[in-house]
Amino acid sequence: MSISTPVGTPYAERATSLVARADQDRWGSVGPSLYETARVLSAAPWLPGEPRRITYLLEQQAPDGSWGEGPLPYRLLPTLSAVEAALAVLRRGTTSAEVTGRLTAAANTGLGVLRALPPVCPWPDTAAAEILVPSLVAKINEKLDSLTTGENTPDPGGPRLPDPGGPRLPDPGGPRLPDPGGPRLPVPGGFHAWAPARVARRYAPAGSLPVKFHHTFEGIDSYIPPSLVPDTEGLLGSSPAATAARATRQPATTAQAITDLTAVAQRYGGLFPEAAPLRVVERLWVAAALARAHLPAAALPTVRGWAEEIYDPQGVRGAPGLMTDADDTAMAVLVASLVGLPYDPAPLDLFHNGSHYDCYIGEDTGSVTANAHALQALVSHLRHRPTAEHTHGPRAAKLCDWLIGRQQPEGHWSDKWHASPYYATARSVTALTQYGGHHASRAARSAAAWTTDTQRADGSWGVWGGTAEETAYAVKILLNATTPTPRRTRALHLAETYLHTTSHPGHQHPALWHDKTLYAPTAVIEAEVLTAQEMLRAHRAAACTQADAERTDA
């Protein structure tokens, strides 16, 4: 990993420009979230801009009646959120007849999708799905029940709805309202209706709610006593949905919620992402990606400034209001090491459990990529400060063994923070090859074989279809883990052609990253793709140089 800049390469200009854009964007490059926007639409009728959010909800419904990105399992939560929001707006009775008709049709088709779900499905491990899904099912059924009785009442603790003498739902001659006579929406298989209430029962005696529930507070807001409603400044858990939900439970916070949410809405055209701002994550991941090839000298002062600002001896959090976590802390240590800052990996000790690192205190499922980042951070630190071997060497060795133990028989890794195994595999291979050793090399070779076998005919890779992002990860796996062979050379050539064809300004990268639903951190993805292209260029140049030398020797 070099911080020098090759003369005359377009990579340096593009990388420097990318760093500059990330530095100037105080929010981050993620787009709006259908799930999050629908939650705000449902919970915050007092927030200006509601017509824009209604239009967005209607525009984003897919032809099959669902909402969201990715395959059906990933569409469950966005569809639940959109249907519940449509019902909430219908129950308020404040829209025109035309909009009411469109919302009614959208809710009916969405309910049809939800009622037709298979009883068992491999649901993705997205943030707090075990709480958010049953909570939304309960809210949908409550609103369907209110339609049966003809009630037009607010949710418990929510704002007062318009007087019944005001605008009403359409008369029987108008659009057919969501069918309250149909079956109540069941909780999908694998989820449990009692999960949100269990959180309330567990923490009510303590009188406070752990920070890990702040980001997804909207999933438990209807279940907890007033004593558990968090009293914090700014967006609750960095989440617009959680912030709007808190305001329904604590009306005294509504004025501040309007201020905070309006600031986000101005950045996203009246809509909302699932976390704001996300600049810490974006800056760390962009810097680490670019450093895989070389961090241009023109960008170095900016990245160094990021590292100085973000590194924290008490641990790093990905956004204001979130818990400190091992993933962001590891990346902060890694980036600091890459730009020559003498920052110690000691903050990672907060998350070590004896064999590996928990992402945060109270984590339910471990993360391969967070631990791969931690291993990279330790290795980079030890390269710069070999005297720390007695302190961090044994922990790095344990971490190497832990990562190898999580490799799938086919040769890849998977992780809860990303839908694609190519992301987790690239992170793991990078960490293991930097650590070195026979077992690490064998695991990397197995990963490379799996990667080569799964390349698509057009030269791309992808879990659901070929993407530039996943192809960039696959390129890095192959360049890191294998020695030159004709098959690998052909795979890389096809990948380079594919990336050249698909990587252009304005390219829309599909959402593959996990939060509550799928999202796409555009700047991070652009950095990964740009770095892969530069690594391919350097690899090709080295191969040509070697071939010339061999011909000269001959």
Side-chain angles (χ1 to χ4, degrees):
M1 296 184 185
S2 170
I3 60 175
S4 63
T5 305
V7 177
T9 63
Y11 166 82
E13 293 181 10
R14 295 170 64 190
T16 301
S17 174
L18 180 56
V19 168
R21 294 201 309 272
D23 190 57
Q24 294 162 7
D25 187 353
R26 61 183 290 257
W27 292 102
S29 62
V30 296
S33 159
L34 185 283
Y35 165 84
E36 200 82 2
T37 299
R39 292 298 81 233
V40 174
L41 172 61
S42 174
W46 33 262
L47 185 68
E50 180 171 287
R52 171 70 181 101
R53 290 184 278 280
I54 293 174
T55 299
Y56 174 70
L57 184 146
L58 292 170
E59 290 175 344
Q60 292 299 307
Q61 189 172 29
D64 68 355
S66 68
W67 281 267
E69 300 187 65
L72 180 62
Y74 281 93
R75 290 173 171 261
L76 171 62
L77 193 60
T79 301
L80 286 169
S81 183
V83 167
E84 196 280 337
L87 294 175
V89 174
L90 286 170
R91 191 167 72 167
R92 292 202 283 265
T94 57
T95 54
S96 68
E98 178 191 359
V99 172
T100 297
R102 294 178 66 192
L103 283 170
T104 298
N108 277 324
T109 53
L111 284 168
V113 169
L114 294 170
R115 285 171 173 152
L117 288 173
V120 179
C121 191
W123 307 112
D125 185 14
T126 51
E130 70 280 3
I131 293 173
L132 298 176
V133 168
S135 174
L136 279 170
V137 169
K139 289 179 179 180
I140 288 172
N141 285 331
E142 182 271 328
K143 288 176 176 60
L144 291 174
D145 291 344
S146 74
L147 288 173
T148 302
T149 61
E151 295 177 355
N152 185 29
T153 56
D155 292 334
R160 183 176 296 277
L161 294 175
D163 185 276
R168 290 183 173 277
L169 297 175
D171 60 36
R176 188 168 184 270
L177 292 174
D179 181 13
R184 297 182 103 238
L185 198 62
V187 175
F191 297 99
H192 305 285
W194 44 259
R198 184 177 66 173
V199 173
R201 290 195 301 270
R202 181 176 180 182
Y203 296 106
S208 64
L209 191 68
V211 176
K212 77 171 187 174
F213 291 107
H214 289 191
H215 183 58
T216 53
F217 178 74
E218 71 273 14
I220 55 176
D221 64 318
S222 300
Y223 299 85
I224 64 174
S227 62
L228 290 186
V229 177
D231 182 16
T232 60
E233 296 182 357
L235 293 176
L236 178 60
S238 80
S239 165
T243 302
R246 177 175 61 180
T248 68
R249 294 300 310 273
Q250 287 186 341
T253 68
T254 300
Q256 186 59 48
I258 290 174
T259 298
D260 295 333
L261 291 171
T262 298
V264 182
Q266 288 175 344
R267 165 63 171 81
Y268 292 94
L271 312 177
F272 298 92
E274 289 177 18
L278 208 62
R279 62 179 180 266
V280 168
V281 172
E282 181 165 287
R283 293 175 179 183
L284 290 174
W285 266 248
V286 164
L290 295 178
R292 288 294 314 283
H294 40 78
L295 196 57
L300 180 57
T302 299
V303 173
R304 190 180 181 92
W306 292 351
E308 291 173 340
E309 177 186 351
I310 294 172
Y311 179 89
D312 190 329
Q314 302 304 313
V316 176
R317 62 192 80 237
L322 296 180
M323 300 180 69
T324 56
D325 67 88
D327 207 4
D328 290 290
T329 301
M331 290 294 271
V333 172
L334 174 61
V335 171
S337 175
L338 294 176
V339 297
L341 292 173
Y343 293 164
D344 194 89
L348 281 169
D349 294 348
L350 300 167
F351 310 100
H352 201 261
N353 62 19
S355 62
H356 63 284
Y357 295 93
D358 292 328
C359 265
Y360 52 85
I361 307 303
E363 181 182 40
D364 295 321
T365 55
S367 167
V368 163
T369 59
N371 282 278
H373 294 151
L375 181 56
Q376 280 186 264
L378 293 176
V379 170
S380 182
H381 180 78
L382 289 170
R383 284 179 177 172
H384 288 86
R385 291 164 183 79
T387 56
E389 173 67 31
H390 68 284
T391 303
H392 302 296
R395 186 161 291 183
K398 276 189 174 183
L399 200 48
C400 176
D401 291 341
W402 185 86
L403 275 176
I404 292 172
R406 296 304 177 276
Q407 188 174 24
Q408 300 299 311
E410 297 84 358
H412 67 275
W413 283 264
S414 298
D415 191 58
K416 67 178 181 178
W417 296 124
H418 204 284
S420 174
Y422 295 102
Y423 173 74
T425 303
R427 288 325 208 233
S428 298
V429 166
T430 297
L432 291 172
T433 54
Q434 289 176 2
Y435 180 79
H438 172 70
H439 296 298
S441 297
R442 184 172 60 187
R445 287 194 300 271
S446 176
W450 169 80
T451 301
T452 305
D453 289 342
T454 55
Q455 187 176 30
R456 295 175 179 269
D458 64 355
S460 69
W461 282 268
V463 63
W464 302 320
T467 69
E469 178 186 354
E470 292 168 281
T471 301
Y473 298 141
V475 164
K476 294 170 186 177
I477 294 167
L478 295 180
L479 289 176
N480 268 295
T482 56
T483 54
T485 64
R487 190 179 181 202
R488 188 195 77 157
T489 299
R490 173 172 169 75
L492 291 173
H493 174 72
L494 290 172
E496 187 168 18
T497 301
Y498 174 83
L499 290 176
H500 178 74
T501 302
T502 59
S503 302
H504 53 78
H507 177 72
Q508 291 294 113
H509 297 283
L512 294 168
W513 296 61
H514 284 183
D515 189 359
K516 302 172 193 178
T517 60
L518 294 170
Y519 73 102
T522 302
V524 174
I525 298 170
E526 289 180 359
E528 294 287 354
V529 173
L530 178 59
T531 301
Q533 290 177 300
E534 173 62 10
M535 292 172 70
L536 284 166
R537 185 205 63 77
H539 172 74
R540 182 166 27 86
C544 290
T545 300
Q546 181 178 353
D548 290 343
E550 290 173 352
R551 282 194 295 270
T552 300
D553 292 342

